[in-house]
Amino acid sequence: MTERQKDRPWLMRTYAGHSTAEASNELYRRNLAKGQTGLSVAFDLPTQTGYDPDHVLARGEVGRVGVPVSHLGDMRRLFQDIPLEQMNTSMTINATAMWLLALYQVVAEEQGADVTKLQGTTQNDIVKEYLSRGTHVFPPGPSLRLTTDMIAYTVSHIPKWNPINICSYHLQEAGATPVQEIAYAMSTAIAVLDAVRDSGQVPQERMGDVVGRISFFVNAGVRFVEEMCKMRAFGRIWDTVTRERYGIENPKHRRFRYGVQVNSLGLTEAQPENNVQRIVLEMLAVTLSKDARARAVQLPAWNEALGLPRPWDQQWSLRIQQVLAYESDLLEYEDIFEGSKVIEAKVGELVAEATAEIERIQEMGGAMAAVESGYLKSQLVSSHAARRARIESGEEKIIGVNAFEGTEPNPLTADLDTAIQTVDPAVEARVIASLQNWRDTRYQPPFNHPRPCKALEKLKEAARGTDNLMEATLECARAGVTTGEWAGALREVFGEFRAPTGVSSAPVAVTAEEGSALSEVRRKVELTAKDLGVGKLRFLVGKPGLDGHSNGAEQIAVRARDAGFEVVYQGIRLTPEQIVDAALAEDVHAVGLSILSGSHAQLVPDVLERLRVAGATDIPVIAGGIIPSGDAEQLRAAGVAAVFTPKDFDITGIIGRIVDEIRNANKLDPLEVPA
């Protein structure tokens, strides 16, 4: 047998960051020592949405889903003893991407690095934030300008950096079909490239350099043949778009470059050990095919549906990749699907359907117009509702959830409190104290930063004009400006944006014919409204804090609407005070709070207390999200009527329970429902 030249493995990353810059730095150095080949930084929600840790909206969110970076001092500490010139660092950051890249560049300069050698990626895809993840800050126009300015800056100053990672990952989490995932990501890429081309900041002969640094961040679900075909279709469409629309002749520049985080939405809380084989199958979708292989892969941990993974769980996910890359013979062969009629037919079908949808979006005026009109969001909410309906009916089987539910006791989760990592609630106070200290001492030795007010004024001046915003942002970073101050200055000029929710225009996903589960719940809703002497029951769905993952809240809102409720849903990012004010003003009969970021322990009791003070104790509060069982018990003890987690997949049943809680709170007799 002739010796084959083995391919190099993809970059292996673990998405990580929590609590503080110090704790995350320790974790990164440990992971690099275990053979990880790139860093992937998770930032906490205040950092992602441009708030300092002491802002009212940051309460309960500091250090929860990532690391808080409030200023240059935090960034220094995050990468202490890690030579940035030798690293490949991915930063999952969008609205505040320019700010974080500026901090990263300044720390690299302080380390003595050659900035032109810095390698890595900033996600910087704002379109999917409006649609699925909710960490947007500014309206679409100014957001696109920030993205454009940053791309133009990196092409000239940090040529090895990927300034945008067009991210269809969260679109799949929000319900996108493979066709929608391709079409919406490509439409975003077209909007960004058009904006860079039309800005005049990059000469036409350098557009190849821009296209060559655009990377994508995709999701891979468990239907791994379809997912692999999706990646081939992505590559084919990208090649056509870049050649025909932008005249890019160099095939190296046109190469579809992508990284992957495999699907976290499909991980189950029930029988979580099954998540290991799901993760393996999803990884195969993006590694098996040489011609459509990912450049970088990060895998979730088996217990992510339960809470924050521990270092050991992350190590297990890294080892899954290493076994495939180093023990198997995968990297010794050319593309093993070349010439397959089955694969070719599926790829052709995806290309045709995705191209048609891209053209439809272009006719609307492009991705930004389709965001502002609400078209993209309502399409995703509809697709997600249809998927939920298939799971509820049993048409789509999920092992351990709606099929083969019987299980042996699970030794991995025997002690749930030790099966996940918890963030010490005292971290928030420490981070706030550290921020206060930074604000008080940034002008003094050893830092001697210039006064930040001058840098912030220059930033606002640039924002009002047409100058590239990166230079003014770098000046802010060097002046010791905080994340909240930088974003606050731009909020003053650009304003803020509340994205369409997509709920009102979503079609009915589950029919309510006689005898169906939904028709029974509708009857309960009507009878309860009659018993209370009101025309309709009113239900407020609230998203307190900064958690922008609104999929669950949207699906509950849509199903409650279909069951006959009048639904009040104002979207994401609300304070407990705003939620209670709305509940009282709208005279609602129940409040549902959805939180996936872990801030439930602080924010839910706050809502309860405010309702109590207002004398509205007859309004039951229901909580939903990733809530560990110990926390759920505490919430119920604090007065929460019911707690639902991802294992409660029967949405119609949840709506029925909400009606029961309304009757209970109003001292009405329980309704008999036919078995």
Side-chain angles (χ1 to χ4, degrees):
M1 179 177 145
T2 56
E3 188 63 34
R4 293 190 186 89
Q5 182 63 42
K6 253 188 157 180
D7 278 356
R8 261 196 342 204
W10 50 91
L11 267 177
M12 297 183 194
R13 291 190 169 120
T14 307
Y15 184 51
H18 65 88
S19 308
T20 62
E22 289 82 355
S24 300
N25 174 264
E26 194 183 313
L27 182 65
Y28 295 160
R29 287 190 291 127
R30 217 162 52 210
N31 285 349
L32 289 167
K34 286 176 185 167
Q36 189 175 300
T37 50
L39 292 177
S40 185
V41 183
F43 295 99
D44 74 353
L45 288 171
T47 306
Q48 291 185 48
T49 48
Y51 292 111
D52 283 336
D54 55 356
H55 190 278
V56 60
L57 273 169
R59 206 159 53 96
E61 306 280 16
V62 177
R64 284 255 165 217
V65 300
V67 58
V69 174
S70 308
H71 47 73
L72 186 59
D74 286 343
M75 197 62 120
R76 280 186 192 122
R77 192 64 195 81
L78 185 63
F79 292 110
Q80 193 173 312
D81 302 322
I82 297 175
L84 295 186
E85 198 177 295
Q86 295 165 32
M87 276 300 110
N88 191 308
T89 306
S90 168
M91 293 192 272
T92 303
I93 196 77
N94 296 284
T96 53
M98 180 182 280
W99 174 240
L100 272 298
L101 180 63
L103 292 175
Y104 188 85
Q105 179 182 323
V106 174
V107 168
E109 287 168 352
E110 290 178 349
Q111 287 186 358
D114 177 349
V115 171
T116 62
K117 289 186 179 160
L118 293 180
Q119 288 188 71
T121 304
T122 24
Q123 193 165 91
N124 200 19
D125 170 6
I126 206 67
V127 173
K128 66 96 175 51
E129 296 303 321
Y130 299 127
L131 298 177
S132 55
R133 201 162 153 271
T135 69
H136 53 275
V137 176
F138 314 111
S143 293
L144 189 57
R145 177 183 166 190
L146 281 164
T147 301
T148 304
D149 283 1
M150 207 177 117
I151 291 171
Y153 175 83
T154 55
V155 165
S156 303
H157 296 87
I158 319 179
K160 293 185 172 181
W161 194 267
N162 298 328
I164 186 167
N165 196 220
I166 290 165
C167 181
S168 65
Y169 175 85
H170 300 94
L171 301 181
Q172 188 181 112
E173 302 257 297
T177 62
V179 166
Q180 288 172 326
E181 195 180 334
I182 297 167
Y184 298 174
M186 284 296 161
S187 298
T188 299
I190 289 167
V192 168
L193 286 172
D194 281 4
V196 172
R197 179 193 62 196
D198 300 344
S199 74
Q201 296 190 65
V202 178
Q204 177 56 39
E205 64 271 14
R206 294 216 63 191
M207 278 302 286
D209 294 332
V210 173
V211 170
R213 301 265 30 123
I214 302 264
S215 62
F216 289 76
F217 187 65
V218 302
N219 202 329
V222 78
R223 292 169 57 81
F224 76 101
V225 176
E226 184 175 55
E227 294 290 340
M228 192 267 297
C229 292
K230 177 185 82 182
M231 297 325 306
R232 293 172 93 87
F234 249 131
R236 207 167 287 183
I237 292 174
W238 182 240
D239 188 73
T240 303
V241 166
T242 52
R243 190 176 61 248
E244 292 179 2
R245 193 178 181 99
Y246 304 105
I248 308 301
E249 293 301 330
N250 184 341
K252 219 167 127 190
H253 285 156
R254 293 201 311 268
R255 184 167 173 202
F256 184 73
R257 302 154 73 248
Y258 77 100
V260 177
Q261 153 88 24
V262 310
N263 194 324
S264 293
L265 179 73
L267 302 182
T268 62
E269 184 184 356
Q271 298 182 24
E273 65 279 8
N274 295 337
N275 293 331
V276 176
Q277 50 268 37
R278 289 186 182 110
I279 291 165
V280 170
L281 288 170
E282 289 162 358
M283 174 183 64
L284 292 178
V286 294
T287 52
L288 276 180
S289 165
K290 180 177 177 174
D291 291 349
R293 185 170 291 149
R295 287 283 192 87
V297 178
Q298 58 195 43
L299 305 180
W302 68 278
N303 56 349
E304 262 178 48
L306 306 173
L308 197 62
R310 300 156 300 186
W312 180 82
D313 308 310
Q314 292 193 323
Q315 175 184 296
W316 189 358
S317 286
L318 177 62
R319 296 290 183 252
I320 289 172
Q321 296 199 57
Q322 289 168 330
V323 169
L324 180 68
Y326 299 109
E327 291 188 25
S328 87
D329 59 352
L330 175 69
L331 297 176
E332 294 169 22
Y333 292 90
E334 291 306 307
D335 195 286
I336 59 177
F337 297 102
E338 191 60 51
S340 162
K341 285 188 292 195
V342 175
I343 299 297
E344 196 46 52
K346 183 66 183 171
V347 173
E349 176 193 313
L350 289 171
V351 167
E353 289 179 28
T355 302
E357 181 66 5
I358 292 166
E359 284 164 6
R360 193 172 301 126
I361 292 164
Q362 289 311 304
E363 281 162 20
M364 292 175 190
M368 289 304 185
V371 165
E372 292 187 72
S373 70
Y375 169 77
L376 294 183
K377 183 65 176 176
S378 63
Q379 292 294 106
L380 289 174
V381 172
S382 303
S383 293
H384 200 197
R387 178 176 181 267
R388 299 292 324 180
R390 289 196 302 275
I391 293 169
E392 285 175 78
S393 69
E395 183 193 336
E396 192 168 311
K397 294 199 174 355
I398 299 181
I399 307 307
V401 174
N402 65 357
F404 310 108
E405 292 124 287
T407 180
E408 295 292 325
N410 184 341
L412 290 174
T413 56
D415 181 357
L416 256 183
D417 291 333
T418 61
I420 54 171
Q421 181 151 319
T422 51
V423 173
D424 179 358
V427 159
E428 190 158 316
R430 289 204 298 274
V431 170
I432 290 170
S434 166
L435 169 70
Q436 200 51 58
N437 183 52
W438 175 265
R439 285 197 195 119
D440 293 344
T441 62
R442 54 188 163 183
Y443 325 115
Q444 299 165 14
F447 305 120
N448 299 322
H449 289 292
R451 296 268 166 187
C453 49
K454 202 182 268 185
L456 288 165
E457 282 310 316
K458 281 182 88 164
L459 177 69
K460 284 191 269 192
E461 196 183 313
R464 287 188 202 102
T466 56
D467 287 358
N468 187 305
L469 291 165
M470 191 71 191
E471 290 297 346
T473 295
L474 281 161
E475 206 165 311
C476 286
R478 295 184 181 111
V481 162
T482 69
T483 298
E485 289 167 346
W486 176 84
L490 292 181
R491 278 181 168 101
E492 272 182 52
V493 180
F494 295 151
E496 287 198 66
F497 186 72
R498 288 198 77 72
T501 66
V503 166
S504 56
S505 52
V508 173
V510 175
T511 52
E513 59 253 4
E514 197 52 48
S516 69
L518 189 60
S519 78
E520 292 305 331
V521 173
R522 283 186 85 126
R523 190 177 69 86
K524 284 170 74 167
V525 170
E526 282 161 19
L527 288 171
T528 304
K530 204 164 153 190
D531 289 348
L532 290 172
V534 295
K536 267 192 160 192
L537 288 185
R538 286 181 299 284
F539 177 43
L540 182 141
V541 177
K543 290 277 306 163
L546 294 175
D547 166 38
H549 288 87
S550 55
N551 307 334
E554 288 154 6
Q555 295 306 315
I556 292 287
V558 169
R559 192 65 56 84
R561 176 204 70 185
D562 295 348
F565 273 93
E566 185 181 311
V567 176
V568 179
Y569 176 57
Q570 298 168 321
I572 60 170
R573 227 180 289 173
L574 300 167
T575 63
E577 187 178 10
Q578 288 169 320
I579 287 170
V580 171
D581 286 350
L584 299 172
E586 300 280 351
D587 197 16
V588 301
H589 299 99
V591 170
L593 301 176
S594 164
I595 308 179
L596 278 84
S597 62
S599 59
H600 51 264
Q602 270 180 277
L603 300 182
V604 176
D606 191 357
V607 171
L608 288 166
E609 181 56 28
R610 286 172 188 277
L611 286 171
R612 207 170 286 138
V613 169
T617 49
D618 58 339
I619 302 178
V621 173
I622 289 98
I626 296 178
I627 300 174
S629 55
D631 286 7
E633 279 167 38
Q634 285 171 10
L635 291 180
R636 281 189 283 263
V640 168
V643 177
F644 297 103
T645 66
K647 71 174 182 295
D648 302 300
F649 67 93
D650 175 10
I651 300 182
T652 301
I654 291 172
I655 305 300
R657 278 282 308 279
I658 291 167
V659 183
D660 294 341
E661 295 303 340
I662 291 171
R663 295 189 69 83
N664 189 26
N666 287 278
K667 303 187 170 44
L668 298 174
D669 293 333
L671 284 172
E672 291 301 317
V673 178

